[in-house]
Amino acid sequence: METAEIARRFLAFFENNGHTVVPSASLVAEDPTLLLVNAGMVPFKPYFLGQRTPPYQRATSAQKCVRTIDIDEVGKTSRHASFFQMLGNFSFGDYFKEQAVPLAWRLLTDSTADGGFGFDPERLWVTVFHDDDEAETLWRERVGVPAARIQRRGMADNFWSMGVPGPCGPCSEIYYDRGPEYGADGGPVADENRYLEVWNLVFMQFERGAGGGKDDFPILGDLPKKNIDTGMGLERMAAILQGVDNIYETDTLGRVLHRAAELTGTRYGDDERSDVSLRVVADHMRTATMLVSDGVRPGNEKRGYVLRRILRRSVRNLRLLSGDDRALLHDLTATAIDAMADQYPSLRADADSIHGVIDAEEKNFADTLRSGTALFARAAEKTRAAGGTTFSGTDAFQLHDTYGFPIDLTLEMAGEQGLTVDEDAFRALMQQQKDTAKRDAKAKKLGNADIGVYARLLDGSGATEFLGYTDHEAESRVLGLIVDGADAAVARAGDRVEVVLDRTPFYAESGGQLADRGTLTADGRGTVDVDDVQKPIAGLFVHRGTVRSGEIAVDDRVHALIDTDRRASISRSHSATHLIHSALRNALGPSAGQAGSENRPGGLRFDFTANSGLTPAALGEVEEEVNTVLAGDIQVRDFQTTLDEALSMGALAMFGEKYGDRVRVVEMSDYSRELCGGTHVGATGQLGIVKLLGESSVGSGVRRVEAAVGLDAFRRLSKESLLVGRLSEQLKAPREELPERIDAMVARLRGAEKEIERLRAAQVLQAAAGLAEGAREHGGVRVVAHQAPDGTAGDDLRRLALDVRDRLGGDRPAVVAVAAVPKDRPVVVIAVNAPARDTGLKAGDLVGVAARALGGGGGGKPDVAQGGGTDPAAVPAALRSVEERVARGA
Ligand code: SER
């Protein structure tokens, strides 16, 4: 049975049993305690905790999940995978164990013709929590599982929580017996390889507090209601139903794995080491594809780092497999898209953008490997020069941090050179960095308040009504205040406060548009200066600010007034962003998808996916097109419609963004149509001018344009015009002749520099005859040791050394050593003629002698060699040491 069919069957079964089918949420978790969705129940957590009222009492889903905790195990075993899908049925205070147990049994054991999975009941075992008599009775009496195939287990195995404070409860698991060829008899407690867990039924009824491990945390109390949360791993089910040994051989992952083998000329099953690499690549490429399609971009922290890391591990393992450095990710991404598109059709539509991101990161990493390898070589050299065999943790960390070198790569490269790595120091530095990142992330994300405070306010008072599309001021009521992260009844002068209103004209930061600022005034009581507005949870507007005077209290009536100049300026920027988006797509094609933006007063930045930069000419065309549309003074219109309708009108949606069923479309005749919740001008003429300020890469296949809008654009242009005026005066040339004039000046300057160089070289060589004449004899070898004037270039030194050697002739042994300080570091060149070489004197050796005296290194061929050091004052001593060395004989 194909993976897609297993999911379809599961959902249909529960739909027929009164459950609402809920589409998979994005992998990017809304829950601030999680980076990525890691269980089917995550999107439903507020319902279990009673923080939100569920719109349905029974639900079923096939949820995309990513778990990165044991990412290092992926591939080493055939059980771990970083991406998986969890099928589940959920009851929010509706049914409990008495229905969950028989429903699960029916779906597993009903014949495939009847819509079930057709498991042989004799091969199923169950476990229950050690004191859960009720569950055991249900399995025995309602379902008919013999007591011999029911086992009891403790907290560590049969109690489920998210690993963090939140909902939890005892669970009951169903296992499938793969048969004696897979291990010992005795049920799941004896062998979890032979007895595979297929389904976990969690009886979610408690709330847990903080604590470590699977069983070391306090139970804080009962949840408001008893709930059901079940989870069946779709990949594992597919392995069983497809009769293959493990998840890597199923119809989805298996395709990526076999393609990786084909591309690298290896075969799965041939060799344990390459099998591990193939599994890593298959798993990681699928995970990366799914993450990118949910809007994650490679980066150096949080989700971006997860993505970067798995892409880099893929590249690395592919190189190990193939033994070369071909770029293979594009092909494997295409395979992953094909393998998953049956279940996630949008993958095909987004394929260009997904490829753009992954291709760029692969290229980026290839560059990284090149420069990181040079840094590695220097650090290894330093280690050896100091007589050590341990590569320092600091260097390993720098390689990791700056160049993205996975530690296993550093370990391997160090191993090849007979070095070990101080892994403890490396890990300590990693931990330090992680702790800092965690603290920062927490401080940033949660603002002051725990998400629960907001959830309670939203549930108590409902969503904030947004009036700001039409109104700039409103009479509102204070529904809640948060001071120092907790509910407060009143906030006083000087307090930082978060204010929740029933209705508001303030735009909350979203869709790249910055928040409004303004004031909330409670008549006769006090005023709050609002400096930021956020929606920490959908629907709830939180006005952040400082109480300027008096006080403000819950239930107060306030006059809410936004800064209208700021708003107007931001709206101009936002409309400009839509126009630039359309113009870029016209110039580059539809793959130039929006990847982020910021609309601020006076200007904007717009990020889009593209693999190469825009030429200045193309940028000029985009700018001209936008300004032509401004001059056309097109009306800007907005309307509500369904998502499907909007998409069929060609409205642009942001890649990786989540939308509800009803959406708002902002339209500028046929030129631009986008899904957008932001504020805009009435007609494009209001923008005045849009001036593009340049275009750059922000890494990973994403480019950025910045622009000034309206008066800001005008001021910039006017300033530049003044500047050009001044240059024209200074150079005494008409404006349009400035480029040629400057080119000519630069050319003259270059010519003059060359001439100076030539004269200096001639001066150096003039000394050659005198030097040759002054050669000293040391045991039959003529030696010239000379310090040239400071500033003599390395090339000139070389020329001088060769010239003096020529003058000394080839019939008797001669050695020439010349040194100088070209900039701030000394350089030495040694030339040795053939008869001297015959006596065993080598330029490479002698340069080593000199360079050591200079505090550096060097080497080269026997006839001529160059070296250098760090200590300019040591030049005379270095030359002396060469002479002494020659005097001692070869
Ligand atoms: N939450 C449980 C799990 O993830 C069951 O869905 O295993």
Side-chain angles (χ1 to χ4, degrees):
M1 196 181 295
E2 290 196 340
T3 302
E5 170 59 16
I6 299 171
R8 201 199 55 71
R9 222 164 245 257
F10 186 100
L11 298 175
F13 176 83
F14 283 103
E15 188 173 29
N16 289 336
N17 283 286
H19 294 64
T20 301
V21 178
V22 180
S24 173
S26 163
L27 281 167
V28 175
E30 279 180 16
D31 185 327
T33 63
L34 290 177
L35 226 46
L36 294 161
V37 169
N38 61 2
M41 50 73 67
V42 169
F44 304 119
K45 182 174 143 189
Y47 304 153
F48 290 128
L49 289 172
Q51 288 174 337
R52 308 285 303 271
T53 315
Y56 27 67
Q57 287 196 298
R58 299 174 171 208
T60 181
S61 67
Q63 173 65 44
K64 298 178 265 190
C65 301
V66 168
R67 280 187 193 171
T68 52
I69 217 99
D70 37 20
I71 198 144
D72 293 327
E73 292 305 310
V74 169
K76 288 190 196 150
T77 75
S78 52
R79 271 177 298 134
H80 287 90
S82 59
F83 173 88
F84 60 97
Q85 299 156 87
M86 199 175 265
L87 301 168
N89 57 294
F90 305 91
S91 149
F92 310 114
D94 187 35
Y95 62 86
F96 199 46
K97 296 179 203 182
E98 75 299 337
Q99 285 196 47
V101 162
L103 275 172
W105 192 258
R106 259 180 53 207
L107 175 57
L108 282 180
T109 57
D110 273 2
S111 72
T112 48
D114 288 339
F117 290 123
F119 276 86
D120 172 2
E122 304 290 313
R123 297 184 82 156
L124 296 178
W125 288 62
V126 294
T127 61
V128 296
F129 188 53
H130 63 76
D131 67 1
D132 197 351
D133 297 339
E134 195 186 346
E136 169 161 2
T137 311
L138 282 167
W139 285 117
R140 268 193 299 109
E141 295 182 359
R142 286 283 293 275
V143 172
V145 180
R149 288 211 309 273
I150 303 177
Q151 298 184 316
R152 293 195 181 224
R153 299 180 101 173
M155 277 296 265
D157 296 298
N158 273 52
F159 197 93
W160 198 87
S161 81
M162 293 169 75
V164 289
C168 63
C171 58
S172 181
E173 298 177 335
I174 309 176
Y175 287 78
Y176 171 69
D177 179 2
R178 295 204 283 172
E181 62 276 28
Y182 286 94
D185 288 343
V189 298
D191 187 338
E192 284 205 34
N193 188 36
R194 166 169 168 182
Y195 300 90
L196 275 188
E197 180 202 325
V198 293
W199 205 342
N200 185 11
L201 315 183
V202 184
F203 310 131
M204 207 71 113
Q205 62 188 111
F206 303 119
E207 184 169 356
R208 62 159 277 188
K214 287 192 162 169
D215 48 7
D216 185 16
F217 47 80
I219 300 292
L220 303 178
D222 290 340
L223 291 175
K225 292 179 177 156
K226 289 183 175 168
N227 312 286
I228 289 295
D229 152 34
T230 84
M232 171 191 279
L234 176 55
E235 281 70 11
R236 187 172 291 178
M237 232 1 218
I240 296 174
L241 293 175
Q242 291 168 16
V244 294
D245 233 27
N246 63 63
I247 56 173
Y248 288 94
E249 291 166 29
T250 56
D251 54 343
T252 51
L253 264 187
R255 274 171 72 179
V256 190
L257 185 140
H258 287 119
R259 183 67 188 147
E262 223 166 81
L263 288 170
T264 56
T266 51
R267 249 193 26 209
Y268 189 58
D270 271 2
D271 163 66
E272 180 49 27
R273 241 184 98 133
S274 64
D275 285 357
V276 170
S277 289
L278 285 170
R279 289 195 289 259
V280 169
V281 171
D283 171 81
H284 285 14
M285 287 313 297
R286 179 169 73 153
T287 307
T289 303
M290 300 307 290
L291 283 173
V292 173
S293 81
D294 272 345
V296 179
R297 296 287 170 272
N300 284 336
E301 48 180 320
K302 298 190 259 179
R303 301 175 190 108
Y305 185 62
V306 170
L307 175 58
R308 170 157 288 165
R309 182 148 170 241
I310 59 178
L311 283 171
R312 294 186 163 194
R313 279 169 58 108
S314 303
V315 170
R316 172 90 187 114
N317 279 280
L318 284 164
R319 289 184 176 200
L320 286 175
L321 285 165
S322 66
D324 60 45
D325 58 3
R326 278 172 300 147
L328 301 174
L329 298 198
H330 189 93
D331 193 309
L332 290 167
T333 306
T335 313
I337 290 175
D338 266 356
M340 299 303 287
D342 267 0
Q343 288 172 264
Y344 305 96
S346 69
L347 287 174
R348 282 205 219 286
D350 292 340
D352 279 351
S353 304
I354 297 173
H355 279 306
V357 172
I358 293 182
D359 292 353
E361 179 66 5
E362 180 176 33
K363 183 175 169 309
N364 190 352
F365 186 45
D367 296 345
T368 290
L369 278 173
R370 263 192 299 279
S371 34
T373 305
L375 179 87
F376 175 88
R378 276 201 299 280
E381 176 57 40
K382 190 181 74 188
T383 308
R384 265 198 309 270
T389 57
T390 311
F391 194 88
S392 85
T394 321
D395 285 335
F397 179 74
Q398 200 202 342
L399 274 169
H400 170 88
D401 200 42
T402 318
Y403 294 101
F405 257 49
I407 181 70
D408 55 355
L409 178 57
T410 307
L411 286 172
E412 201 175 295
M413 288 171 60
E416 282 162 9
Q417 306 218 3
L419 299 173
T420 55
V421 178
D422 184 351
E423 274 188 81
D424 287 345
F426 169 80
R427 295 204 192 283
L429 287 166
M430 287 294 289
Q431 191 55 43
Q432 233 174 38
Q433 189 189 46
K434 253 190 221 154
D435 291 346
T436 320
K438 222 185 212 163
R439 269 200 308 279
D440 290 354
K442 229 179 184 160
K444 221 189 268 160
K445 222 186 211 151
L446 293 179
N448 295 325
D450 180 276
I451 208 90
V453 180
Y454 300 128
R456 276 197 294 284
L457 274 168
L458 184 63
D459 263 4
S461 330
T464 315
E465 185 188 352
F466 177 59
L467 310 169
Y469 290 135
T470 48
D471 299 348
H472 291 166
E473 51 193 312
E475 302 309 321
S476 313
R477 197 162 68 82
V478 177
L479 298 180
L481 293 174
I482 300 169
V483 178
D484 287 336
D487 291 319
V490 57
R492 303 202 165 77
D495 283 351
R496 282 293 296 169
V497 63
E498 295 179 282
V499 185
V500 175
L501 302 174
D502 58 346
R503 55 213 292 268
T504 185
F506 281 82
Y507 185 83
E509 178 176 348
S510 56
Q513 177 173 336
L514 296 191
D516 284 328
R517 293 189 181 151
T519 52
L520 306 175
T521 310
D523 238 358
R525 273 178 79 96
T527 301
V528 177
D529 288 325
V530 175
D531 50 45
D532 188 21
V533 186
Q534 295 289 333
K535 286 187 277 189
I537 48 180
L540 192 79
F541 286 56
V542 175
H543 306 74
R544 296 187 173 148
T546 307
V547 184
R548 188 203 305 160
S549 60
E551 58 179 41
I552 180 166
V554 172
D555 270 344
D556 276 355
R557 305 252 152 217
V558 293
H559 181 71
L561 173 66
I562 66 167
D563 173 343
T564 47
D565 285 349
R566 175 182 162 89
R567 160 67 83 78
S569 185
I570 293 178
S571 299
R572 284 195 291 271
S573 296
H574 202 154
S575 298
T577 293
H578 284 210
L579 294 171
I580 291 174
H581 189 183
S582 287
L584 279 169
R585 287 171 73 94
N586 292 343
L588 299 176
S591 66
Q594 176 165 2
S597 63
E598 182 184 273
N599 303 299
R600 57 174 185 274
L604 62 98
R605 66 171 164 71
F606 180 76
D607 295 346
F608 58 102
T609 46
N611 284 332
S612 55
L614 273 167
T615 59
L619 207 60
E621 275 168 30
V622 167
E623 186 177 70
E624 171 144 355
E625 185 171 312
V626 169
N627 283 284
T628 311
V629 177
L630 302 195
D633 201 18
I634 294 173
Q635 291 294 310
V636 180
R637 203 168 75 86
D638 66 80
F639 56 91
Q640 302 266 346
T641 180
T642 62
L643 180 59
D644 288 345
E645 176 65 18
L647 294 177
S648 72
M649 293 167 70
L652 301 179
M654 179 140 157
F655 169 50
E657 184 64 81
K658 291 162 265 189
Y659 295 100
D661 292 339
R662 286 200 72 73
V663 293
R664 179 170 180 264
V665 177
V666 173
E667 176 182 84
M668 306 181 187
S669 80
D670 266 343
Y671 186 72
S672 156
R673 201 169 280 126
E674 290 195 29
L675 301 190
C676 177
T679 66
H680 288 268
V681 295
T684 59
Q686 291 169 20
L687 268 55
I689 321 172
V690 172
K691 174 75 196 133
L692 297 189
L693 305 177
E695 189 259 6
S696 59
S697 162
V698 280
S700 313
V702 179
R703 311 286 308 179
R704 168 171 297 173
V705 284
E706 308 224 29
V709 180
L711 207 53
D712 280 61
F714 165 75
R715 288 198 187 109
R716 226 166 223 282
L717 289 171
S718 148
K719 225 164 140 183
E720 274 175 14
S721 169
L722 279 174
L723 189 71
V724 174
R726 249 184 74 193
L727 289 176
S728 153
E729 251 169 49
Q730 282 176 323
L731 297 178
K732 311 227 175 323
R735 304 164 87 100
E736 52 286 356
E737 284 175 19
L738 280 175
E740 289 85 54
R741 185 61 66 92
I742 291 172
D743 279 349
M745 268 172 64
V746 170
R748 272 212 311 279
L749 204 62
R750 289 230 176 89
E753 278 168 0
K754 277 217 180 93
E755 182 59 15
I756 292 172
E757 244 169 62
R758 198 186 60 75
L759 289 172
R760 190 182 292 141
Q763 210 176 20
V764 168
L765 287 178
Q766 256 172 21
L771 288 176
E773 269 163 32
R776 286 183 290 273
E777 286 264 342
H778 288 291
V781 182
R782 286 166 306 156
V783 179
V784 171
H786 169 68
Q787 175 163 9
D790 284 358
T792 305
D795 281 352
D796 291 341
L797 271 185
R798 207 177 174 86
R799 228 171 282 136
L800 177 64
L802 295 176
D803 193 24
V804 175
R805 188 183 66 179
D806 284 351
R807 285 169 195 271
L808 289 171
D811 40 349
R812 283 197 296 134
V815 169
V816 181
V818 288
V821 185
K823 272 208 190 103
D824 36 348
R825 286 162 172 261
V827 171
V828 57
V829 179
I830 310 251
V832 175
N833 73 358
R837 289 201 296 276
D838 291 342
T839 72
L841 286 167
K842 293 198 185 75
D845 296 344
L846 293 172
V847 115
V849 172
R852 260 197 298 286
L854 296 172
K861 286 186 283 184
D863 61 336
V864 46
Q866 177 166 341
T870 51
D871 182 6
V875 171
L879 290 170
R880 247 189 335 270
S881 63
V882 174
E883 216 168 332
E884 282 159 17
R885 175 75 169 68
V886 176
R888 279 206 309 277

